[in-house]
Amino acid sequence: MTNRFKFIDSIRGLALFGILLVNMKSFQSPEFIDTMFSKTSYKDDFDQGLYYFLQLFIQMKFYPIFSFLFGLSFYLFMIKSTLSNFVSRTLFLFLIGIIHLIFIWYGDILHVYAITSVFLLFFHKLSSKKVAMWSISLLFAYHLFLFASIFVSASTIPTASQSKIALEYIQMYKEAPYFEWVLFRFNIEVLPILQQLPIVMIPVLGWFLLGLFAGKEKLYERTHRNIVRINKWWKISLFLSLITVCLNGLAILTNLDDDSITYFLTSLSGLFLAVFYITAIYLLSSRTIFKKILSPFQYVGRMSLTNYLAQSIMVISFFRFFHMYNTLTLTEGLLISLALFVIQLGISYIWLSYFYYGPLEWIWRSFTYQKISPFFINKESHKLKIQK
């Protein structure tokens, strides 16, 4: 594997870690209902401070990076693949995503990626300049929509009804048999999520196109021209990040965190911070110490589909089976996230010592190319290649 792909996999693994930190709250507590009713409260000051940190620096910052890398991967994929391969690849991703959404967790992003990636076919032959313009236009239009929504009065549900719905939601997660839980979730979670799909696809496509632009410009290669350009974008994104993060922090600290203003500012700061994170990692990746720190993430990144699905399946199943749903603090959830990711790092490293791909990645690849891909690593031939 070339260094450029190791670098891309490392960023993908890091993004998956950030996504886990954000998703843990929805795994362990009724965040879906809390968001719907604009309720956010914590038992102690440390949890409250942790919430602020996640909101300012993690929330809506790593999904954009994940989406950006998907767009870049699309470019690299289409260089050597056919339209038929793309259709098979997208169909598999859609099926896995829908199954995940309906039977496991409402926050699935795979079905969104699958549907949105179809639109990339209309852009991948355009010039990089036009792709960049479309990306900026879509991201601007989405945030303009979020800004306009600040001035629209949201429909409210009476407090008594909110409490009843929230209590039923928690009880279903804690005690309901699996299929009863799935049916309940389908009405209260899945259908509203699918209704929001057209809006959600706009920023996702914007980030896909930004990744496609990076591919067309070959920004993943370390050249003097790329370093100069990325250093410039790093400075701009740092400046804009500081402004938007400060505004978002001000909105949260002045008790506006239950309002659409914070959602707008969190998303806007996420746009600039995501670019800042990507460019900072790119610039730092030439340093030996940072390269060693980043390197382990590549194993999780190479198995990103398997690890992404494993996170929700394992954690939600654990909380339901042991009746621990809505019993842990945000801090305890963070510690579980750290422990789980360290375990995934170790398992991914060991797995990739014996197999070319993660289990789901192998099935996905075989389905994409309509043939069985190599799976087991032949240790003897691997040693001979190293010796040569």
Side-chain angles (χ1 to χ4, degrees):
M1 182 181 291
T2 61
N3 287 330
R4 72 181 184 187
F5 291 121
K6 287 180 180 179
F7 172 69
I8 293 171
D9 284 332
S10 295
I11 299 180
R12 187 179 286 112
L14 185 61
L16 200 59
F17 176 55
I19 288 169
L20 174 61
L21 293 178
V22 170
N23 289 346
M24 183 56 70
K25 186 170 181 288
S26 65
F27 293 158
Q28 73 181 67
S29 66
E31 186 182 34
F32 184 86
I33 292 296
D34 290 345
T35 302
M36 184 184 297
F37 297 150
S38 299
K39 290 182 177 180
T40 306
S41 60
Y42 297 99
K43 296 177 182 178
D44 55 51
D45 291 340
F46 191 85
D47 260 20
Q48 191 71 49
L50 180 58
Y51 165 74
Y52 291 154
F53 173 80
L54 292 174
Q55 195 74 10
L56 292 175
F57 300 105
I58 309 294
Q59 182 76 28
M60 296 189 194
K61 279 70 177 177
F62 286 90
Y63 266 120
I65 297 175
F66 211 57
S67 303
F68 168 85
L69 293 172
F70 190 94
L72 175 57
S73 297
F74 168 82
Y75 168 80
L76 296 171
F77 174 82
M78 292 303 291
I79 290 175
K80 57 182 179 180
S81 304
T82 64
L83 180 61
S84 175
N85 296 148
F86 171 79
V87 172
S88 299
R89 179 177 185 263
T90 304
L91 178 60
F92 180 86
L93 191 67
F94 175 75
L95 292 174
I96 290 293
I98 284 294
I99 292 170
H100 185 223
L101 171 68
I102 295 174
F103 294 100
I104 304 295
W105 182 51
Y106 71 86
D108 173 78
I109 196 66
L110 302 179
H111 71 286
V112 181
Y113 279 15
I115 296 171
T116 309
S117 66
V118 174
F119 292 90
L120 284 173
L121 293 173
F122 300 102
F123 295 95
H124 83 285
K125 290 187 178 180
L126 295 180
S127 67
S128 57
K129 183 178 179 180
K130 288 183 179 179
V131 169
M133 288 176 63
W134 272 103
S135 173
I136 293 170
S137 298
L138 287 169
L139 292 172
F140 177 79
Y142 175 72
H143 286 91
L144 186 63
F145 168 79
L146 291 184
F147 181 74
S149 67
I150 294 172
F151 306 98
V152 178
S153 300
S155 59
T156 57
I157 299 174
T159 304
S161 298
Q162 289 182 14
S163 300
K164 184 179 179 182
I165 293 170
L167 182 62
E168 183 185 14
Y169 185 95
I170 294 169
Q171 289 300 111
M172 291 298 291
Y173 263 83
K174 278 187 172 182
E175 300 175 1
Y178 176 72
F179 285 106
E180 184 180 343
W181 173 71
V182 169
L183 288 174
F184 174 81
R185 284 187 54 256
F186 187 82
N187 289 317
I188 203 166
E189 292 180 348
V190 177
L191 290 179
I193 289 295
L194 291 176
Q195 289 170 0
Q196 295 172 14
L197 186 59
I199 298 298
V200 173
M201 286 170 59
I202 296 173
V204 170
L205 182 57
W207 282 105
F208 279 5
L209 292 175
L210 202 60
L212 178 59
F213 167 80
K216 284 178 173 288
E217 291 288 302
K218 298 191 176 356
L219 293 175
Y220 48 82
E221 297 179 349
R222 284 196 79 82
T223 64
H224 176 71
R225 179 172 181 267
N226 283 345
I227 292 172
V228 171
R229 295 168 77 189
I230 290 174
N231 186 57
K232 178 183 176 182
W233 296 334
W234 172 78
K235 292 176 181 178
I236 294 172
S237 62
L238 173 60
F239 175 72
L240 294 173
S241 295
L242 288 172
I243 294 173
T244 51
V245 167
C246 288
L247 289 173
N248 195 19
L250 184 63
I252 293 173
L253 292 173
T254 52
N255 296 319
L256 290 175
D257 55 322
D258 60 344
D259 198 88
S260 52
I261 294 176
T262 297
Y263 189 88
F264 164 70
L265 289 172
T266 301
S267 181
L268 186 63
S269 62
L271 192 160
F272 300 126
L273 265 179
V275 175
F276 170 72
Y277 289 157
I278 294 170
T279 53
I281 292 169
Y282 181 95
L283 295 172
L284 289 170
S285 62
S286 61
R287 300 185 180 184
T288 304
I289 295 177
F290 188 79
K291 192 181 292 185
K292 288 181 179 179
I293 295 172
L294 193 62
S295 180
F297 289 93
Q298 68 178 287
Y299 303 108
V300 176
R302 283 176 62 188
M303 294 175 54
S304 57
L305 179 61
T306 298
N307 283 314
Y308 171 74
L309 292 171
Q311 289 173 357
S312 55
I313 293 171
M314 291 172 62
V315 176
I316 292 174
S317 298
F318 176 82
F319 287 143
R320 276 181 46 79
F321 184 80
F322 290 103
H323 305 286
M324 293 176 64
Y325 185 79
N326 201 39
T327 62
L328 302 179
T329 64
L330 193 62
T331 304
E332 290 167 337
L334 174 67
L335 295 175
I336 292 174
S337 300
L338 293 172
L340 174 58
F341 194 78
V342 169
I343 292 170
Q344 288 191 312
L345 276 173
I347 292 175
S348 298
Y349 175 77
I350 295 170
W351 181 277
L352 292 171
S353 298
Y354 296 94
F355 305 98
Y356 285 110
Y357 310 100
L360 280 176
E361 285 75 13
W362 177 72
I363 297 172
W364 191 16
R365 184 180 179 85
S366 298
F367 189 88
T368 296
Y369 293 105
Q370 300 296 300
K371 63 178 182 180
I372 303 299
S373 296
F375 192 42
F376 297 94
I377 294 177
N378 186 321
K379 291 291 184 180
E380 292 302 318
S381 60
H382 184 63
K383 287 179 182 177
L384 286 174
K385 286 180 181 178
I386 293 174
Q387 290 172 359
K388 289 180 180 179

